[in-house]
């Protein structure tokens, strides 16, 4: 028998997080770790579970925009009927409400990016409260979406800073390789400074292993190292290497629409279910066992200033 579809009203209000909405920044300064792939496919999977989800493309490459089938060429940006983008919203030329666009998936909405956004790093330099532009812009629409995902650029610039200030939590995709572990220390330092200066409530949603191959000793060792450091902040779901995941963006579709039976589609569906479960929302049981460990019970995300020892204060539990 086909599984019943989870409708928004089936998510009990009393089981939702205290905030009516959670803003999650998908961030890692290292490129090629699956940030955009995760932002697109996690947002799509949440929407397919019946959860209204808003996705913002904060990356000047605008790959999230293209990956959902929206034009991102210079001609499209200059067209007379061009829709507002994150660039327009951050510069105050448009409201977030006016920039929201529907997608092929009923409950998934997008505020597209544009290649003009690279100029925002310069144009916002002299603007008052420049670090808070994105946070203030999305505040009026937050209550409409249980989850708002921000796809961040692979750089620690003013765009990323705006995303970190706007976010409630961080989702950090990491490739299961040695160099990914080496890059953590710089990320730790930067995020702690951002949290201390601009967003004391910033917390860690979780660390996600991408391009994971459980047949290799290296992948298993990297995962064990992350578990030793991050404990239950490592998502139990892992994202495997999958050709369909790589092909889907060229068709302008999330993998759940391009090939819903692929391993990549199944993995992101289970990641969405795990995210909902961690936030106390009602979910269906996964169809396939791609989750390695039991999902930890919902609990408050520890923030930057949680008392976890003076020498270990920070977003990350293993800070020394």
């Amino acid at each position: 028998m086909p599984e019943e579809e989870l409708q928004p009203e089936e998510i009990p209000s009393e089981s939702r997080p205290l905030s009516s909405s959670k803003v999650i920044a998908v961030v890692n300064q290292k490129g090629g770790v699956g940030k955009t792939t995760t932002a697109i496919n996690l947002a799509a999977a949440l929407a397919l579970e019946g959860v209204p989800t808003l996705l913002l493309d904060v990356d000047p490459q605008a790959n999230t925009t293209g990956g959902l089938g929206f034009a991102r060429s210079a001609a499209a940006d200059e067209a007379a009927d061009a829709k507002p983008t994150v660039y327009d919203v951050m510069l105050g030329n448009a409201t977030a409400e006016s920039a929201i666009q529907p997608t092929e998936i009923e409950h998934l909405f997008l505020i597209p990016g544009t290649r003009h956004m690279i100029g925002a790093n310069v144009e916002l330099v002299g603007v008052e409260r420049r670090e808070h532009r994105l946070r203030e812009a999305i505040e009026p629409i937050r209550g409409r979406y249980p989850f708002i995902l921000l796809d961040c650029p692979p750089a620690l610039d003013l765009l990323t800073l705006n995303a970190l200030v706007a976010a409630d939590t961080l989702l950090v995709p990491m490739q299961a390789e040695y160099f990914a572990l080496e890059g953590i220390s710089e990320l730790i330092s930067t995020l702690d400074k951002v949290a201390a200066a601009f967003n004391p409530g910033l917390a860690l949603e979780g660390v996600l292993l991408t391009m994971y191959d459980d047949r290799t000793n290296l992948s298993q060792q990297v995962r064990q190292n992350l578990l030793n450091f991050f404990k239950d902040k490592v998502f139990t779901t892992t994202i495997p290497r999958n050709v369909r995941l790589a092909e889907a963006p060229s068709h302008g579709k999330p993998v759940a629409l391009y090939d819903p039976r692929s391993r990549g589609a199944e993995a992101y569906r289970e990641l969405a279910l795990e995210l909902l479960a961690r936030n106390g929302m009602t979910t269906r049981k996964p169809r396939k066992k791609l989750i390695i460990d039991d999902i930890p019970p919902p609990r408050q995300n520890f923030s930057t200033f949680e008392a976890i020892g003076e020498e270990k204060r920070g977003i990350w539990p293993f800070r020394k």
Side-chain angles (χ1 to χ4, degrees):
M1 293 179 63
E3 297 178 344
E4 294 181 4
E5 291 298 322
L6 179 68
Q7 299 300 323
E9 60 268 22
E10 293 176 0
I11 304 173
S13 58
E14 62 270 15
S15 68
R16 293 191 180 190
L18 294 179
S19 172
S20 60
S21 175
K22 175 173 277 191
V23 180
I24 302 175
V26 183
V27 60
N28 192 328
Q29 69 206 43
K30 189 176 186 300
V33 297
K35 287 189 301 297
T36 297
T37 298
T38 295
I40 291 173
N41 291 295
L42 175 57
L46 287 168
L48 288 169
E49 293 300 319
V51 181
T53 304
L54 177 63
L55 179 58
L56 276 73
D57 189 354
V58 189
D59 189 344
Q61 297 178 81
N63 288 332
T64 292
T65 301
L68 286 175
F70 290 83
R72 53 176 178 160
S73 65
D77 292 338
E78 300 297 335
D81 60 346
K83 299 291 185 180
T85 65
V86 172
Y87 172 79
D88 300 303
V89 171
M90 291 184 65
L91 290 182
N93 298 327
T95 64
E97 173 70 35
S98 67
I100 296 173
Q101 297 195 42
T103 68
E104 285 187 83
I105 299 174
E106 181 181 0
H107 298 291
L108 177 61
F109 301 88
L110 172 73
I111 298 183
T114 171
R115 295 171 183 178
H116 292 318
M117 288 174 60
I118 193 67
N121 285 305
V122 176
E123 294 176 66
L124 289 175
V125 167
V127 176
E128 186 178 355
R129 290 176 58 82
R130 58 185 179 272
E131 304 89 356
H132 298 265
R133 301 287 287 189
L134 186 59
R135 183 186 185 98
E136 293 170 353
I138 66 175
E139 193 64 35
I141 61 171
R142 279 193 57 154
R144 294 165 47 184
Y145 305 97
F147 289 101
I148 298 176
L149 271 59
L150 312 176
D151 181 27
C152 301
L156 299 171
D157 55 15
L158 193 51
L159 294 173
T160 302
L161 180 57
N162 262 269
L164 296 179
V165 173
D168 300 313
T169 61
L170 307 176
L171 192 159
V172 183
M174 289 187 60
Q175 195 171 350
E177 62 176 26
Y178 174 73
F179 287 124
L181 290 176
E182 280 201 329
I184 289 179
S185 59
E186 185 178 349
L187 188 62
I188 293 169
S189 175
T190 301
L191 296 179
D192 275 346
K193 290 174 182 176
V194 170
F198 303 108
N199 190 1
L202 188 63
L204 178 64
E205 188 70 39
V207 177
L208 175 68
L209 273 170
T210 60
M211 309 176 203
Y212 186 78
D213 187 349
D214 58 6
R215 299 171 298 178
T216 67
N217 289 333
L218 176 61
S219 290
Q220 295 178 25
Q221 290 169 1
V222 169
R223 182 174 184 274
Q224 189 57 53
N225 285 340
L226 290 174
L227 284 170
N228 292 338
F229 292 149
F230 291 103
K231 310 300 182 186
D232 64 355
K233 286 295 178 180
V234 178
F235 281 103
T236 58
T237 306
T238 58
I239 307 301
R241 288 188 180 275
N242 184 250
V243 173
R244 293 304 197 188
L245 276 175
E247 292 175 348
S250 66
H251 295 267
K253 295 178 181 292
V255 71
L257 297 186
Y258 177 64
D259 187 352
R261 296 181 180 273
S262 65
R263 291 186 69 213
E266 291 285 353
Y268 276 109
R269 178 176 181 270
E270 292 196 14
L271 177 62
L273 294 174
E274 181 178 355
L275 180 64
L276 292 171
R278 284 174 177 253
N279 285 275
M281 293 184 177
T282 303
T283 61
R284 300 196 304 269
K285 293 183 179 179
R287 287 175 293 182
K288 295 176 69 175
K289 185 65 176 177
L290 294 179
I291 293 179
I292 298 175
D293 304 316
D294 291 334
I295 298 174
R299 70 180 182 90
Q300 181 67 35
N301 289 302
F302 61 81
S303 69
T304 303
F305 298 104
E306 181 177 344
I308 54 177
E310 186 66 28
E311 73 283 1
K312 294 184 179 180
R313 178 173 294 172
I315 288 177
W316 315 99
F318 64 94
R319 178 78 181 272
K320 294 182 179 180

